[in-house]
Amino acid sequence: MGSSSWKIRKSALCAALGLCLTLAAAPAAFAANTDGSVVGHTQPGAVVTIVDPDTGLTRTVVADAKGNYRFPFLPVGDYVLTTRVNGTQAGSSVPVTVKLGQATTVNLGSRSATNLGAVTVTANSVISAVDVTSTESAMNINAEQLQRLPVQRDVSAVALLAPGVNPGTAGFGGISFGGSSVAENTFYINGLNVTDFYNRIGFSEAPFDFYKEFQVKTGGYSVEYGRTTGGVVSAVAKSGTNEFRFGSKLVWGPASWETHAHDSYLDGTRYITRSRDSTDSRKLNVWASGPIVKDKLFFFAMYEARDSSPKNTNDAGTTLTKNSADTGFWGTKLDWHITDSNLLEFMAFSDKNSNVG
């Protein structure tokens, strides 16, 4: 009887410890920020309202006795900011962009700066592009900016745009932040850690057109980004709006357009024909987005067909390997605006890959 009682108590203790560990670990899955904020100064007691024209999201706060206001946890996107004093709008509406993981400072309200006789200088709003509320060293870049930059269509190429980020070694690949090894970085998509925990040199990756904005953190980031002493790459996926939209894109990299490497001798004996190395790749994606319930529930979905046929010569110069990869990516994101202060997101994607050489 005593032995049985001990087993029951032991099982209960294990269950309790398991529950505690589960509860303690649960926030870690959502630790990485997926939003931004707007802060600033206006007249004390003014009513400040921020609106997302695409989704109808509306939030309102009242400035404190010193005129300070703050809108935390805003989804990434473009907004319109207005302020009212005693029921009357003060100044014109101000467009503001909320960036991933950053606080945008917007000082509102008409304030006289200088009065020189017949000359009066006033400022309706002042927007600061520098986040003075954070000590992070970070670079933000969105999808529109990437369309104008000549970079490869992958996350690593985006990260290399940040200062202090360099390609990894030839043997391991990856990227290095400030001299750290390629195994000391973490990668997030919508707050989900998608780092390859087994090899530590890769991550699950979605198509380039699946992303809305990137943030590359090179230093000074907080402890919410654990398991890293190198850098952090955080990305958010695109979302639907109140307008139905759809599109497609074809990206083709023909092997005949590539620059070929030169053939050479290795150790003076083996002749390596690197000029035969080539890659022929094609990617075709289709996507759609829109409202399921206007102002409440939105969707974004994408499918991408991929076909890649690389040919590579090994270092020994004895083997030319021809590979063929024919895989498809699918991904979707749902955004439910339960209230203007509560947002529930669901994201799922598959990046399974099959290669035959």
Side-chain angles (χ1 to χ4, degrees):
M1 184 67 178
S3 175
S4 176
S5 177
W6 160 246
K7 289 180 179 179
I8 294 175
R9 287 197 301 269
K10 185 177 180 181
S11 299
L13 177 61
C14 292
L17 288 175
L19 179 60
C20 290
L21 290 174
T22 302
L23 293 176
F30 305 94
N33 60 297
T34 61
D35 44 41
S37 59
V38 174
V39 300
H41 184 274
T42 185
Q43 299 184 39
V47 178
V48 186
T49 302
I50 191 167
V51 179
D52 183 346
D54 291 332
T55 63
L57 173 66
T58 303
R59 292 183 187 174
T60 300
V61 297
V62 178
D64 62 18
K66 295 183 178 180
N68 298 316
Y69 73 92
R70 179 180 180 86
F71 289 100
F73 308 119
L74 289 171
V76 175
D78 296 322
Y79 293 80
V80 176
L81 205 61
T82 58
T83 180
R84 304 182 72 87
V85 179
N86 298 324
T88 303
Q89 181 171 329
S92 58
S93 300
V94 180
V96 57
T97 299
V98 175
K99 297 183 178 180
L100 175 63
Q102 290 191 357
T104 304
T105 301
V106 184
N107 295 325
L108 295 167
S110 179
R111 302 186 308 278
S112 177
T114 307
N115 193 335
L116 302 174
V119 180
T120 302
V121 181
T122 61
N124 287 331
S125 62
V126 178
I127 302 178
S128 174
V130 178
D131 183 6
V132 297
T133 67
S134 174
T135 59
E136 292 182 346
S137 298
M139 180 199 73
N140 282 64
I141 187 167
N142 57 37
E144 289 75 17
Q145 293 170 327
L146 287 173
Q147 293 294 334
R148 301 190 293 268
L149 294 175
V151 297
Q152 291 182 325
R153 299 174 58 81
D154 60 68
V155 177
S156 297
V158 175
L160 290 173
L161 296 174
V165 184
N166 298 288
T169 60
F172 291 98
I175 52 180
S176 171
F177 287 77
S180 297
S181 77
V182 297
E184 297 175 278
N185 310 319
T186 54
F187 299 83
Y188 292 87
I189 301 178
N190 276 39
L192 176 66
N193 193 335
V194 295
T195 310
D196 183 348
F197 293 110
Y198 183 77
N199 295 311
R200 294 299 303 178
I201 57 174
F203 54 96
S204 297
E205 187 172 355
F208 215 54
D209 295 301
F210 191 71
Y211 299 113
K212 182 177 183 179
E213 186 169 331
F214 300 88
Q215 185 180 48
V216 184
K217 301 177 185 288
T218 56
Y221 47 85
S222 63
V223 294
E224 64 182 309
Y225 298 94
R227 299 182 180 180
T228 173
T229 56
V232 175
V233 179
S234 181
V236 291
K238 293 180 179 178
S239 302
T241 65
N242 279 324
E243 180 182 354
F244 281 104
R245 298 174 181 172
F246 61 91
S248 63
K249 180 176 290 186
L250 172 64
V251 179
W252 178 32
S256 58
W257 291 7
E258 290 184 341
T259 299
H260 296 286
H262 296 288
D263 299 337
S264 62
Y265 281 96
L266 181 65
D267 301 331
T269 57
R270 287 171 291 178
Y271 188 66
I272 303 178
T273 55
R274 293 190 178 92
S275 60
R276 298 186 181 183
D277 294 356
S278 64
T279 300
D280 192 274
S281 63
R282 290 170 293 274
K283 295 181 180 180
L284 173 64
N285 69 57
V286 292
W287 61 271
S289 67
I292 300 176
V293 179
K294 187 176 181 180
D295 292 340
K296 287 294 183 182
L297 186 60
F298 308 92
F299 79 93
F300 176 84
M302 171 181 284
Y303 177 79
E304 181 174 87
R306 305 168 177 173
D307 183 14
S308 179
S309 302
K311 295 188 295 183
N312 299 287
T313 305
N314 67 343
D315 290 339
T318 58
T319 305
L320 176 66
T321 303
K322 296 182 179 181
N323 296 277
S324 177
D326 186 2
T327 58
F329 166 93
W330 63 262
T332 185
K333 185 170 181 284
L334 300 176
D335 297 88
W336 180 20
H337 292 210
I338 304 173
T339 67
D340 286 337
S341 299
N342 296 275
L343 170 65
L344 180 63
E345 294 182 351
F346 171 81
M347 181 191 68
F349 68 84
S350 171
D351 65 342
K352 292 179 65 176
N353 187 27
S354 177
N355 185 77
V356 177

